Amino acid sequence: MLSSYVESVRAGFGAFVGVGVLVLLPLIALHYHRFGRVEPRRALVLYGLLAYGLVALALIFLPFPSALVCTGEQMVSTTPFRWITDMRNNLSANGRSGVVAVVTSTVFLQQAFNVALFVPLGVVLRKSYGRGPFAVVAIGLGISLAVEVVQFSGNLGAYPCPYRIADVDDLISNTAGSLLGWMIAPVALVVPAVPHPDASTAPPGTVSVPRRLLGLLMDVLVLAVVARLVFDGNRWWVVGLAVAIRVVVPSLTGGHALGGWLLRYHVRRPDGARANPARIALRELLGVTGLIAYVALAPADWWFAVDMCVLALVVVGAFVVPVFRRDQRGVPDLVADTRAVRTAEHVPAAPAGVGS
């Protein structure tokens, strides 16, 4: 029995890997559209539920029979706690008795498994979503009932008859597991609480990562065209032009680079005050301008691993980290104590703890 469970768990995790990759980008897009960021705790809970659901389904329905002979055998049990009678009969037939014999019997372990299978559901419903005991019991019962109906219908008609018994004891055990999960949820430290939507949404005036990327693309296009037509690709002039576009111009115009001016955002201090040239320069040194300078000036035979590390640090620090923060500030902004804000709005200072 244990080996079949292990194979089902493997199949469930295999399905999670494939499905998880497919839904990753849509999940990010959905979160970003709704909240203006990807809230890490929400994403963790959703991915955890996805993994749990697929593994649970694999344990419930796998293995599928390669050939099924319908003999007319009764494949539904409507007698509550029939498993206790079955266990007693089994123990009596094998001449066994006592607590050890009970807890090691196949029938008891099967029911214990049915309880344990729904414990994570109860934990998540209470700890992450704040559901009460009645809601948890109702949801657990509803899901378990749906599973039993699918089993009794031969997987919704995929098979001419059921290959597993639809059992009322499974309903009882699964529902009890949900309630047990609700009871132990406070001590489940690894399960995070999902914050209220108001605490997940980016504050007013926050400039999204896609908007900043588009502004950056405009600046890079101008840099590439001018560097090619005027400076014939001279690498020192390329670096100087990048500094002029991304540091000098914003310092003189109150934080506006060309792309930011076109898309109506600029670089300011978190409290809304003007960012001085030193802060803008530090921000760009740790961000895209620093990457442009590295690409232009680094030796052609430099170590490939170093190149990848520099690229990864800039991309992750400047464009991945902000996706998960309410204020959308990346590592360069955090170090330089700056923030990109929309120029079309009078944006208040970011509240304390806004980046969490």
Side-chain angles (χ1 to χ4, degrees):
M1 183 176 68
L2 180 60
S3 62
S4 65
Y5 286 163
V6 171
E7 290 303 318
S8 296
V9 169
R10 287 178 179 173
F13 270 113
F16 166 69
V17 171
V19 175
V21 171
L22 291 177
V23 303
L24 177 61
L25 292 180
L27 177 64
I28 290 175
L30 178 62
H31 272 212
Y32 211 87
H33 174 72
R34 182 178 179 186
F35 303 110
R37 67 181 291 215
V38 176
E39 213 295 318
R41 287 164 292 184
R42 286 181 176 272
L44 177 62
V45 169
L46 287 176
Y47 255 75
L49 281 175
L50 177 63
Y52 162 69
L54 290 174
V55 170
L57 288 176
L59 287 168
I60 291 170
F61 291 105
L62 296 181
F64 295 128
S66 57
L68 182 60
V69 178
C70 297
T71 61
E73 180 184 357
Q74 183 72 11
M75 296 298 288
V76 60
S77 174
T78 59
T79 304
F81 302 108
R82 181 177 175 179
W83 69 273
I84 298 178
T85 302
D86 292 340
M87 180 180 64
R88 287 175 176 173
N89 293 338
N90 182 268
L91 293 177
S92 176
N94 290 278
R96 302 181 65 198
S97 62
V99 175
V100 175
V102 169
V103 298
T104 57
S105 66
T106 302
V107 177
F108 179 87
L109 291 176
Q110 180 65 49
Q111 293 306 311
F113 167 79
N114 288 336
V115 172
L117 187 62
F118 273 57
V119 167
L121 178 65
V123 171
V124 172
L125 288 176
R126 179 179 181 179
K127 187 71 179 291
S128 298
Y129 295 105
R131 302 297 184 186
F134 295 107
V136 169
V137 167
I139 293 171
L141 176 61
I143 294 175
S144 180
L145 180 60
V147 168
E148 298 304 316
V149 169
V150 171
Q151 289 180 337
F152 183 68
S153 64
N155 291 6
L156 300 179
Y159 293 94
C161 57
Y163 63 91
R164 289 192 178 183
I165 296 177
D167 194 343
V168 69
D169 281 342
D170 291 348
L171 289 176
I172 297 172
S173 299
N174 294 157
T175 306
S178 300
L179 182 59
L180 177 60
W182 182 89
M183 295 171 63
I184 67 174
V187 299
L189 301 180
V190 297
V191 180
V194 173
H196 189 274
D198 292 343
S200 301
T201 306
T206 301
V207 182
S208 67
V209 172
R211 191 169 186 163
R212 294 209 301 266
L213 281 172
L214 185 56
L216 171 63
L217 177 61
M218 295 178 180
D219 290 343
V220 170
L221 286 176
V222 171
L223 170 65
V225 171
V226 175
R228 181 62 179 171
L229 296 180
V230 179
F231 302 118
D232 196 27
N234 183 285
R235 60 182 183 173
W236 289 102
W237 281 108
V238 169
V239 174
L241 184 59
V243 172
I245 292 175
R246 300 285 297 178
V247 178
V248 177
V249 171
S251 298
L252 297 176
T253 60
H256 288 92
L258 176 61
W261 177 76
L262 292 174
L263 294 175
R264 304 190 66 78
Y265 72 86
H266 58 173
V267 177
R268 308 288 286 185
R269 294 287 303 279
D271 59 3
R274 182 167 180 165
N276 61 41
R279 293 186 183 278
I280 295 177
L282 178 59
R283 177 182 187 267
E284 290 301 317
L285 175 65
L286 298 176
V288 175
T289 305
L291 179 61
I292 293 174
Y294 177 84
V295 172
L297 301 178
D301 57 351
W302 194 238
W303 291 345
F304 178 76
V306 175
D307 295 340
M308 291 298 99
C309 286
V310 172
L311 178 62
L313 287 174
V314 172
V315 170
V316 171
F319 301 111
V320 176
V321 170
V323 169
F324 297 94
R325 294 180 56 89
R326 286 192 65 203
D327 56 11
Q328 301 287 278
R329 297 170 70 197
V331 173
D333 278 318
L334 294 172
V335 174
D337 198 26
T338 57
R339 176 188 177 205
V341 297
R342 299 180 186 177
T343 54
E345 305 174 12
H346 295 288
V347 181
V354 76
S356 61

